């Protein structure tokens, strides 16, 4: 049987840890969206030289584990640039770096789903480049990219469980700490699962509703 009295006493600890997880995830995901969007446009328009750098970045980000990226940022980067970044900065940059590669592919898939005939039609009626982007390309490409973006957001939230390796007291760190101190394995990981469900289930439902709304009202 679970010790519910003990779990109740752990609520303040998990509340603080959940704030850390959400704080890091929010800014990391925001950063990954910005990086991914810019990189997708560079690949879409095949900008010379930059597209090769972006292609290299995407492959590097997607094919190296977040754990290794965090170790490099927190322990190895100081010897390279001469000063150490804080744990929060490393976690946000690490999530943004990893997520940027995935977000780039999501946005690129959306952009490449737009047929050239639609762009030619927009040009034929006199739309300027920025008008084509806001009225033709972006609305349709986001509709295609949205499911993948939602999956990436949930993926990055779950990947944030690794930031404990750089001394951040997120919910995974607190759960393992409770297990090591009190040997309350079932209680600690039940609380951990509950925290993730509280965050991820509403987020998953929100993206599903957003996709439905987008398809009905925009596409």
């Amino acid at each position: 049987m679970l010790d519910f009295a003990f779990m109740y006493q752990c609520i303040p600890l998990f509340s603080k840890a959940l704030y850390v997880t959400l704080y890091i995830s929010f800014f990391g995901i925001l950063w990954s969206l910005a990086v991914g969007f810019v990189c997708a446009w560079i690949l879409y328009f095949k900008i010379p030289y930059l597209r090769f750098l972006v292609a290299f970045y995407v492959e590097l980000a997607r094919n190296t584990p977040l754990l290794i990226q965090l170790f490099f940022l927190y322990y190895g980067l100081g010897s390279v640039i001469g000063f150490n970044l804080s744990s929060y900065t490393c976690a946000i940059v690490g999530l943004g770096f990893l997520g940027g590669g995935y977000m780039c592919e999501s946005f690129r898939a959306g952009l490449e789903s737009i047929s050239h005939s639609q762009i030619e039609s927009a040009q034929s009626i006199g739309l300027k480049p920025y008008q084509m982007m806001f009225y033709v390309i972006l609305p349709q490409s986001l509709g295609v990219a949205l499911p993948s973006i939602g999956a990436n957001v949930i993926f990055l939230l779950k990947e944030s469980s690794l930031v404990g390796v750089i001394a951040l007291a997120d919910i995974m760190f607190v759960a393992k700490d409770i297990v090591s101190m009190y040997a309350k394995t079932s209680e600690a990981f039940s609380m951990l699962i509950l925290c993730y469900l509280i965050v991820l289930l509403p987020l998953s439902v929100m993206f599903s509703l957003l996709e439905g709304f987008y398809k009905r009202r925009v596409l």
Side-chain angles (χ1 to χ4, degrees):
M1 292 291 292
L2 293 175
D3 188 346
F4 291 103
F6 179 80
M7 292 172 67
Y8 181 77
Q9 292 174 0
C10 291
I11 289 176
L13 288 174
F14 277 97
S15 298
K16 292 179 182 178
L18 185 59
Y19 171 80
V20 173
T21 295
L22 293 177
Y23 179 87
I24 291 166
S25 300
F26 176 78
F27 287 104
I29 290 168
L30 204 62
W31 178 244
S32 71
L33 286 168
V35 170
F37 186 76
V38 172
C39 290
W41 280 97
I42 291 173
L43 292 177
Y44 180 70
F45 287 109
K46 297 180 173 61
I47 299 175
Y49 305 110
L50 287 180
R51 68 188 179 106
F52 296 109
L53 291 175
V54 168
F56 173 75
Y57 155 69
V58 170
E59 293 303 317
L60 179 65
R62 296 175 68 200
N63 291 287
T64 54
L66 177 61
L67 186 64
I68 303 302
Q69 296 170 10
L70 291 175
F71 275 142
F72 175 76
L73 288 169
Y74 191 67
Y75 297 106
L77 196 60
S79 60
V80 177
I81 63 176
F83 64 92
N84 296 317
L85 300 175
S86 69
S87 299
Y88 280 94
T89 302
C90 289
I92 291 169
V93 171
L95 281 176
F97 182 86
L98 174 71
Y102 286 95
M103 293 297 184
C104 174
E105 292 298 287
S106 298
F107 284 120
R108 186 172 68 87
L111 290 170
E112 291 183 351
S113 69
I114 309 301
S115 64
H116 289 288
S117 61
Q118 294 193 50
I119 296 175
E120 290 170 358
S121 299
Q123 291 172 334
S124 68
I125 61 174
L127 290 183
K128 296 178 181 179
Y130 73 91
Q131 291 175 319
M132 280 194 297
M133 182 176 71
F134 284 107
Y135 296 115
V136 178
I137 298 175
L138 274 182
Q140 296 183 76
S141 65
L142 283 177
V144 174
L146 195 56
S148 180
I149 291 171
N152 289 337
V153 168
I154 292 173
F155 164 73
L156 290 174
L157 264 165
K158 290 188 289 187
E159 283 293 289
S160 69
S161 61
L162 295 173
V163 300
V165 299
I166 54 173
L168 280 175
D170 69 317
I171 52 177
M172 177 64 80
F173 183 91
V174 168
K176 291 191 293 185
D177 209 28
I178 289 172
V179 171
S180 64
M181 287 192 300
Y182 303 104
K184 296 282 190 178
T185 305
S186 299
E187 288 79 4
F189 286 107
S190 294
M191 292 289 289
L192 178 65
I193 292 170
L194 185 61
C195 285
Y196 277 115
L197 288 176
I198 288 171
V199 174
L200 295 178
L201 277 180
L203 195 61
S204 179
V205 172
M206 184 193 74
F207 272 107
S208 297
L209 294 174
L210 186 60
E211 289 169 29
F213 175 80
Y214 200 90
K215 289 177 181 178
R216 290 194 305 271
R217 298 297 179 89
V218 180
L219 299 181

